[in-house]
Amino acid sequence: MSYFRLLLVCCGVFLSVAAQAQSKITGIALDSVTHEPLAFASVFLASTTLGATTTEKGEFEFPRVPKGTYDIVGSYVGYRLGKQTITVETTPLKLTINLAPTGNQLGEVVVRPAPNKPEEYRQFAQLFLGGSTFSEQCHISNPDDVRVILDDSTQELTARTKEFLQIDNDALGYRLKYYGLYFAYDKEAGSITYYGQPVFEEMKPRDEAQRRLWAANRLTAYTGSFMHFLRCLYTNRLEAGNFLTQQIKVTPNPRYESAQKKREALLAAGAAGAYSPAEKDSLRRWSRELPELATLYSEARPIDSLRRVKPNGRTYMRFGGELQVAHFGEAPDPRFKQQMNTLGYSRTPFPAQRQVSRLQLADGEAEIQADGSLRNPLEVALGGYWGFEKIGEFLPYDYVPTGMPTPARPAAPAARPAVRPVRRR
């Protein structure tokens, strides 16, 4: 199973997200060396649409920021990014963001890196943007500002930006500026990791029809997404959100090592194409043996085994092993070509339209927030359908859906485990 890491449900929940406690943020952006204010610098809350430009005195203001933890980022030409992690409660915050100059002096010769190799850049763009219908409508407008490198020895593909990578998402109507992007693709493990400080800007629709299309596409991207799941988990509304969570137990395959030895011995003893029909059949059977087997328990996991709420209200997703999450009521993207994972045995058939994803936790627990974000996104690895969705479906954390239909509850499954082999590295 390949994973990638990173970087609301019904009207009652929509209202609670939109109307949650808010506070005010004010501050000033300064040169870290001279302590002079930086006029017209960009300041934003990462992964949201909340941004501001400093005044001539370097001052900025966010009048209404929902309660939560954010990275507040300052950007200015000729300076490194300034970043702070802040927690917004009900008390107004006053901040100072210090930006360090890059050190380039007037007249200094700047050596630009060699241009990206076209095939390496194309691979990066495809992996980063994704292969969905919405991803096909995403365009990187400043390709020369990203440096893509392929390590010949490890075959790891990495990409970095000095300032930001700009993506225009014509499907959702967002212009995304991804500051400080770091991207890595490990071909051997089949994993993708990327992070940075993105900010969203609303694009201007050309007419009312496009505005409605963007709103509908955003709702489609949101429904069943990882953000949707985390908001439902946070508010204990997984069933109302049409989610089914199931435990996966992964164990070593006792037949794998023996099958590999038999296969290698037969390959070493014979010449290509000189095998008998029985030997060819044995090779096929041994090749199908996988290193590990996964046992899927069809019974839905209770909320107390997935969520821990501290007395102070801080909420954590927690589980051991792997978790399978199915969302019902929306068909997968037509470009999703993988076989959808099974849900196990049920007396009543599961709905045909579903999206099935996989989850792993690095340390068994990860803190989640009301807006559907993780305090540390790198604590979670995603696979299955969520591994397929990437920048094309990427929404800001201050997105609030409207017009979402009340979902139908899926049939309750019987508590009978189904064993299914999965390939893992």
Side-chain angles (χ1 to χ4, degrees), residues 46 60 69 111 131 176 193 210-211 229 238 258 269 271 280 326 342 385:
F60 61 87
T69 299
V111 179
L176 176 65
T193 302
Q210 187 174 55
R211 185 195 67 79
F229 169 75
L238 289 176
S258 174
K280 290 180 180 178
T342 179
Y385 197 75

Side-chain angles (χ1 to χ4, degrees), residues 220-253:
T220 297
Y222 173 77
T223 306
S225 66
F226 187 49
M227 181 197 296
H228 185 187
F229 169 75
L230 288 181
R231 288 180 177 182
C232 290
L233 180 61
Y234 186 91
T235 55
N236 189 13
R237 299 185 65 88
L238 289 176
E239 285 191 57
N242 231 10
F243 287 102
L244 169 69
T245 56
Q246 299 167 290
Q247 178 67 47
I248 298 172
K249 182 180 180 181
V250 179
T251 56
N253 181 359

Side-chain angles (χ1 to χ4, degrees), residues 47-49 169 172 174 200 214 217-223 225 227 390-399:
S47 299
T48 74
T49 59
N169 189 332
L172 304 184
Y174 288 117
F200 291 80
W214 284 349
N217 287 349
R218 291 173 186 180
L219 184 59
T220 297
Y222 173 77
T223 306
S225 66
M227 181 197 296
K390 295 188 176 68
I391 294 298
E393 290 71 31
F394 190 24
L395 291 165
Y397 286 118
D398 54 336
Y399 170 74

Side-chain angles (χ1 to χ4, degrees), residues 331-363:
D333 188 287
R335 286 179 168 81
F336 183 72
K337 301 303 182 183
Q338 302 175 30
Q339 183 178 357
M340 199 65 72
N341 289 354
T342 179
L343 301 179
Y345 173 80
S346 174
R347 297 180 187 275
T348 303
F350 289 106
Q353 288 192 334
R354 59 179 181 259
Q355 301 165 354
V356 185
S357 304
R358 301 281 290 275
L359 273 178
Q360 286 182 333
L361 288 176
D363 298 314

Side-chain angles (χ1 to χ4, degrees), residues 275-335:
Y275 302 109
S276 67
E279 290 173 330
K280 290 180 180 178
D281 182 64
S282 295
L283 283 173
R284 283 192 294 268
R285 285 189 293 105
W286 295 332
S287 298
R288 286 197 293 266
E289 291 292 346
L290 302 176
E292 294 175 318
L293 297 175
T295 302
L296 173 68
Y297 294 89
S298 298
E299 184 178 12
R301 288 195 60 164
I303 188 69
D304 290 342
S305 71
L306 300 173
R307 189 185 70 155
R308 179 171 71 94
V309 182
K310 287 187 174 182
N312 61 6
R314 294 178 68 170
T315 304
Y316 296 81
M317 174 171 58
R318 63 168 186 178
F319 57 86
E322 296 185 21
L323 193 70
Q324 179 165 291
V325 181
H327 181 263
F328 299 99
E330 185 177 70
D333 188 287
R335 286 179 168 81

